[in-house]
Amino acid sequence: SIKMDLLHSNGVLIIQHLQRDYRAYQDFLNFMSHVGDPRNIFSIYFPLWFQLNQVVGTKMIWVAVIGDWFNLIFKWILFGHRPYWWVQETMIYPNQSSPCLEQFPITCETGPGSPSGHAMGSSCVWYVMVTAALSYTVRWKDKSAVTLHRLTWSFLWSIFWIIQISVCISRVFIATHFPHQVILGVFAGILVAEAFEHTPAIQTASLRMYIKTNLFLFIFALGFYLVLKLLDIDLLWSVPKAKKWCANPDWINIDTTPFAGLVRNLGALFGLGLGINSEMFITSCKGKNSCKISFRILCIAASLATLQLYNFIKIPTHTEYLFYMLSFCKSAAMPLTVVALVPYCVHSLMRTTEKKLN
């Protein structure tokens, strides 16, 4: 406990230093925090990559979902505090003179803080993207191509670490994480992504396998929660702290609670399984049009545009169970749209156009 308090107090000094000396970069750091938001995986990265390479897109969803599930379990085990409430409750500062940490609209996360979900989600999905891009260049054999591969390798991994470091600094800057929490998140995300580099079975998974995986993840998490609750251990202990010490009650969002993330991810995985095993996907993405560049570009543009419309769907938060149910449905609809609905519509449109021309 003493070592952890020392780690936390040193972390607070780093946060104070960042908030004082990096004030000019506030907008950039807030932006990088949004870049690391795991929800961007489903609304931006996945639509782009799935239409370019279905293997990479599928792996991306699996890595994001399983990584976030592990993040939830680790948070429940580690009981990590967040800086913005820890400084208000710790007794290590003399005369109750706790440091003043500035809060922002995205500071008031309600779940435990360790490891960082943003850092973990960002590192795992960018690891998938970088390794996927490098897999194309590693096949080059001639001498000049090998040199180009090495340059590409250095460039892409430099970009990877620049993004991860920026996301980590941003999460520390807004006082929602201690430095050790974001570091743990980055390396945990890399481990999860690397594990899926050696798990080819996900590419041929049936709808039944998707459903079984969803049930296992949900039952394990719920069972873990209930067992510890019977032992009088409250895994939602962080929510009251967030509500108590957040500078603005409007910044508290049910979407950041532990079960909200779990339901969102399970919905995305179910939607992917439903889409990949649908007749619409087989007809469009496995047909003759799937090899055409025009088909893929239209699918990317239509997918990104359609998914932005989902942002206008506001789920009611007055009833928690209704929120979880609707959140699951909305999350399932997003990959289903990308995988099946949009490609099928584009395929039908192109086929109709071809018939008119003929």
Side-chain angles (χ1 to χ4, degrees):
S1 179
I2 295 176
K3 290 182 178 180
M4 189 57 68
D5 283 342
L6 181 61
L7 190 63
H8 285 162
S9 60
N10 288 333
V12 168
L13 292 176
I14 294 174
I15 295 171
Q16 288 181 304
H17 169 70
L18 289 174
Q19 291 188 344
R20 181 182 65 251
D21 297 339
Y22 287 77
R23 174 64 55 192
Y25 304 100
Q26 177 179 327
D27 291 338
F28 171 74
L29 292 174
N30 285 334
F31 170 74
M32 290 308 301
S33 188
H34 285 294
V35 168
D37 193 331
R39 285 169 288 196
N40 289 332
I41 299 171
F42 308 115
S43 62
I44 298 176
Y45 304 136
F46 170 66
L48 284 170
W49 273 97
F50 187 83
Q51 306 302 349
L52 295 174
N53 188 315
Q54 293 167 12
V55 172
V56 178
T58 301
K59 185 193 300 182
M60 187 177 292
I61 291 291
W62 276 89
V63 166
V65 170
I66 301 300
D68 209 50
W69 183 82
F70 273 115
N71 182 264
L72 173 65
I73 301 301
F74 287 153
K75 282 182 174 179
W76 279 349
I77 293 174
L78 297 177
F79 281 78
H81 290 273
R82 294 185 184 272
Y84 76 91
W85 76 58
W86 182 82
V87 295
Q88 303 290 343
E89 298 190 342
T90 183
M91 303 299 293
I92 71 169
Y93 296 106
N95 302 322
Q96 303 297 317
S97 56
S98 58
C100 180
L101 298 182
E102 185 174 354
Q103 296 183 24
F104 303 86
I106 55 176
T107 294
C108 299
E109 299 272 351
T110 57
S114 186
S116 166
H118 280 63
M120 191 168 175
S122 176
S123 66
C124 72
V125 74
W126 277 93
Y127 188 92
V128 169
M129 290 192 287
V130 169
T131 53
L134 290 175
S135 67
Y136 291 103
T137 62
V138 76
R139 303 168 191 166
W140 300 340
K141 299 299 183 183
D142 57 275
K143 189 174 181 179
S144 60
V146 170
T147 303
L148 181 59
H149 167 71
R150 289 174 179 171
L151 290 174
T152 305
W153 187 94
S154 299
F155 173 74
L156 289 179
W157 283 117
S158 297
I159 293 296
F160 172 85
W161 284 111
I162 288 171
I163 290 174
Q164 304 320 310
I165 291 171
S166 298
V167 170
C168 289
I169 291 175
S170 72
R171 301 301 289 172
V172 175
F173 174 83
I174 64 174
T176 199
H177 284 295
F178 290 103
H180 69 277
Q181 296 174 343
V182 293
I183 294 172
L184 179 60
V186 167
F187 287 103
I190 291 174
L191 287 175
V192 172
E194 179 60 28
F196 274 89
E197 291 293 320
H198 311 284
T199 314
I202 59 173
Q203 301 299 334
T204 56
S206 63
L207 180 58
R208 179 176 295 182
M209 179 58 69
Y210 277 91
I211 294 173
K212 285 182 178 179
T213 303
N214 256 19
L215 288 174
F216 170 78
L217 296 177
F218 178 74
I219 291 172
F220 186 96
L222 182 62
F224 187 71
Y225 170 79
L226 293 176
V227 167
L228 290 184
K229 191 172 184 179
L230 289 175
L231 297 175
D232 204 26
I233 300 175
D234 182 16
L235 293 181
L236 300 182
W237 59 274
S238 60
V239 178
K241 290 182 180 293
K243 292 180 178 179
K244 181 178 180 180
W245 297 114
C246 184
N248 187 338
D250 293 336
W251 295 347
I252 296 290
N253 194 336
I254 190 175
D255 201 30
T256 65
T257 59
F259 277 112
L262 175 65
V263 169
R264 183 172 58 247
N265 288 310
L266 295 182
L269 188 62
F270 176 72
L272 176 66
L274 198 62
I276 284 180
N277 291 279
S278 67
E279 285 296 326
M280 287 189 292
F281 171 76
I282 295 172
T283 301
S284 55
C285 294
K286 297 295 184 181
K288 62 178 183 179
N289 283 330
S290 62
C291 298
K292 297 179 179 179
I293 299 297
S294 57
F295 174 79
R296 296 188 179 188
I297 292 176
L298 285 172
C299 285
I300 290 174
S303 295
L304 290 173
T306 304
L307 291 187
Q308 298 313 306
L309 297 178
Y310 282 99
N311 294 330
F312 294 101
I313 301 176
K314 301 301 180 183
I315 300 176
T317 58
H318 58 277
T319 304
E320 194 170 354
Y321 294 110
L322 177 63
F323 171 82
Y324 290 146
M325 184 178 69
L326 294 178
S327 180
F328 178 89
C329 294
K330 179 181 177 181
S331 299
M334 295 176 73
L336 181 62
T337 298
V338 173
V339 172
L341 296 178
V342 165
Y344 184 77
C345 291
V346 172
H347 168 77
S348 299
L349 180 63
M350 291 180 69
R351 188 175 59 180
T352 302
T353 304
E354 288 172 359
K355 285 182 179 180
K356 287 182 179 180
L357 292 175
N358 293 332

